[in-house]
Amino acid sequence: MKFQSFKTYAEMSKAAAEIVAGVVKAKPDCVLGLATGSSPIGTYDELVRMHKEEGLSFARCTSVNLDEYRGLPGTHPQSYRYFMDEHLFTRVDIPRERTFVPNGTAADPDVECAMYDERIKRLGGTDVQILGIGPDGHIGFNEPADEFTDETHLVDLDPSTIEANARFFDSAADVPRQALTMGMGGIMSAKKIVLVASGAAKKAVLDAAMNGPVTPKLPASILQKHPDVVVLYAEA
Ligand code: GLP
């Protein structure tokens, strides 16, 4: 795993966007693996700027997102579909019908998860996967567990994740208790992975993920087994 540190969030975001833009330019019909959370917002802003000012086009790209809260429709402001529409999809030229986010309101989540994996497989995996990291080391919504799960699956959110994500809702009671998340198979299928994280609070979990043992108790540690991961960290 490569590690690059930046003084500011803006510099980190620019570096992440340059990596993604490089993939898009080299392969205009690439598959983008996308993440939500506050960490990649600056990356998306920079990609939007490149689209508007430099003509970077996503017209032939496909995207697959990592996860979605169970029970939230895409029209809910805290749903990850809504987040992606707001921060990226409606601001660039990616065709909406080629942007995929797990359906949080699917009647049968297991069927939805199986279909999602089938789609990732058909696409041949992602060309580049953007990741954030949760305070407990989760990626997507792969929470600390006894074993790694390869498939897209329904997951019970950790109390610490509910608490960490409560800032986006009126109260912790409003945070959905479950989510659909791409599993480690989908994430590790990426040809290239860019993890963005900022602030002192993330430093210890990042160090453990990069340098500690590979264990499902710290889900991001699995990235040590991937041949092309870059961790971009901003101090502030
Ligand atoms: C959520 C998302 C993750 C994200 C994490 C960290 O739980 N499911 O994909 O990495 O939040 O979010 P933030 O970047 O806001 O710290």
Side-chain angles (χ1 to χ4, degrees), residues 36-40 66-67 80 132-134 138 140-141 161 165 167-168 202:
T36 54
S38 46
S39 304
L66 286 170
D67 47 12
Y80 285 168
I133 185 169
H138 72 247
F141 267 133
T161 300
N165 291 359
R167 66 191 194 276
F168 301 113
K202 293 267 174 88

Side-chain angles (χ1 to χ4, degrees), residues 212-233:
V214 175
T215 164
K217 304 273 181 222
L218 205 164
S221 64
I222 199 172
L223 300 173
Q224 291 180 34
K225 290 179 175 285
H226 191 282
D228 188 358
V229 179
V230 57
V231 174
L232 305 179
Y233 171 74

